[in-house]
Amino acid sequence: EPEVTQTPSHQVTQMGQEVILRCVPISNHLYFYWYRQILGQKVEFLVSFYNNEISEKSEIFDDQFSVERPDGSNFTLKIRSTKLEDSAMYFCASSEAGTENTGELFFGEGSRLTVL
Amino acid sequence: AQTVTQSQPEMSVQEAETVTLSCTYDTSENNYYLFWYKQPPSRQMILVIRQEAYKQQNATENRFSVNFQKAAKSFSLKISDSQLGDTAMYFCAFMKLGAGSYQLTFGKGTKLSVIP
């Protein structure tokens, strides 16, 4: 069964460093998302991406964050200069679009980011 | 803005018994989906069950069913004949329709343990 895959599963970085989290969405999906979950808190929406551009973003997704679909298969989240409060589990998700869309998002296993 | 509240951080149930997980939400929208997602330990979130707000009939998927009370903004999940594999975090989630991005708003989750 097709899956969303994410790499790395865990990354430790120093504050101020750049981090890129990678995701391979399900191949026929057209909408892509990043969510994050700080330990003990809710899963929060960061950004959605469709047709090679951001379709919606939350207030969390500030100028330190960017997303890209560089090669038609990967979907990346870049954090330019990490802060301690960026430590979280980051989930990638994808979904179909159009009339066959049931609203279901397919999630990856997550990438745990630890900022020291 | 939408909010989703899960008032039970942790629950446990004996194998083969029935358990109900609570969820309430707040929205001014009329067209939306509600979901229950399951996240087993160290695995990705997967969809358990979905309810369209315009449908009065409660959704059912095998041992999983919901009690959707639109006026009360309540959306509980009932798991019948609990199995050890049901041990997981369960997230209630809301999706507004028509925004074109399929963004989910999550509750904080309920950790369910099925006891042999």
Side-chain angles (χ1 to χ4, degrees):
Chain A
E1 191 167 326
E3 284 189 341
V4 175
T5 57
Q6 290 185 240
T7 55
S9 56
H10 189 193
Q11 181 156 356
V12 181
T13 190
Q14 293 290 327
M15 191 168 58
Q17 295 296 304
E18 176 182 283
V19 160
I20 297 176
L21 305 178
R22 291 183 168 80
C23 170
V24 179
I26 294 173
S27 62
N28 64 330
H29 285 184
L30 299 177
Y31 280 82
F32 314 112
Y33 310 83
W34 284 100
Y35 286 78
R36 79 171 186 191
Q37 185 180 29
I38 295 170
L39 189 63
Q41 298 188 24
K42 294 184 179 185
V43 176
E44 302 171 290
F45 170 77
L46 291 178
V47 66
S48 61
F49 191 86
Y50 170 70
N51 200 25
N52 284 320
E53 61 183 24
I54 290 173
S55 52
E56 196 169 5
K57 61 182 181 179
S58 71
E59 57 270 18
I60 302 168
F61 194 87
D62 61 21
D63 291 344
Q64 293 297 313
F65 292 89
S66 62
V67 289
E68 198 177 36
R69 190 157 159 79
D71 56 13
S73 62
N74 288 284
F75 178 53
T76 62
L77 174 70
K78 183 193 289 187
I79 309 174
R80 245 177 287 282
S81 177
T82 50
K83 303 187 283 284
L84 295 176
E85 54 265 37
D86 293 328
S87 294
M89 182 73 90
Y90 288 81
F91 294 102
C92 175
S94 67
S95 66
E96 295 176 287
T99 54
E100 55 290 4
N101 191 312
T102 58
E104 179 176 1
L105 270 61
F106 292 80
F107 286 87
E109 288 190 21
S111 293
R112 180 167 297 285
L113 176 65
T114 302
V115 182
L116 303 176
Chain B
Q2 285 69 232
T3 59
V4 177
T5 302
Q6 293 178 250
S7 58
Q8 304 150 316
E10 290 192 45
M11 292 190 74
S12 61
V13 61
Q14 292 286 337
E15 198 175 2
E17 296 296 305
T18 295
V19 64
T20 298
L21 279 55
S22 301
C23 173
T24 58
Y25 61 95
D26 190 24
T27 185
S28 57
E29 302 291 332
N30 201 40
N31 293 320
Y32 52 88
Y33 284 156
L34 293 164
F35 303 86
W36 280 97
Y37 277 87
K38 167 186 175 181
Q39 187 181 29
S42 302
R43 297 290 301 155
Q44 62 262 64
M45 263 188 284
I46 55 173
L47 180 66
V48 174
I49 198 164
R50 172 184 51 247
Q51 176 79 42
E52 292 92 333
Y54 65 86
K55 288 188 179 177
Q56 290 190 337
Q57 186 173 9
N58 289 323
T60 300
E61 285 287 340
N62 301 313
R63 299 182 294 107
F64 298 89
S65 61
V66 298
N67 183 3
F68 173 48
Q69 302 287 330
K70 190 173 183 180
K73 294 181 180 157
S74 169
F75 183 62
S76 60
L77 174 70
K78 185 170 85 170
I79 306 174
S80 304
D81 185 26
S82 298
Q83 300 175 0
L84 296 178
D86 295 334
T87 292
M89 281 292 287
Y90 286 81
F91 295 97
C92 179
F94 174 101
M95 177 186 285
K96 181 175 71 172
L97 291 183
S101 75
Y102 311 109
Q103 173 187 155
L104 286 168
T105 301
F106 285 92
K108 221 169 175 181
T110 296
K111 185 178 181 181
L112 177 68
S113 299
V114 179
I115 301 164

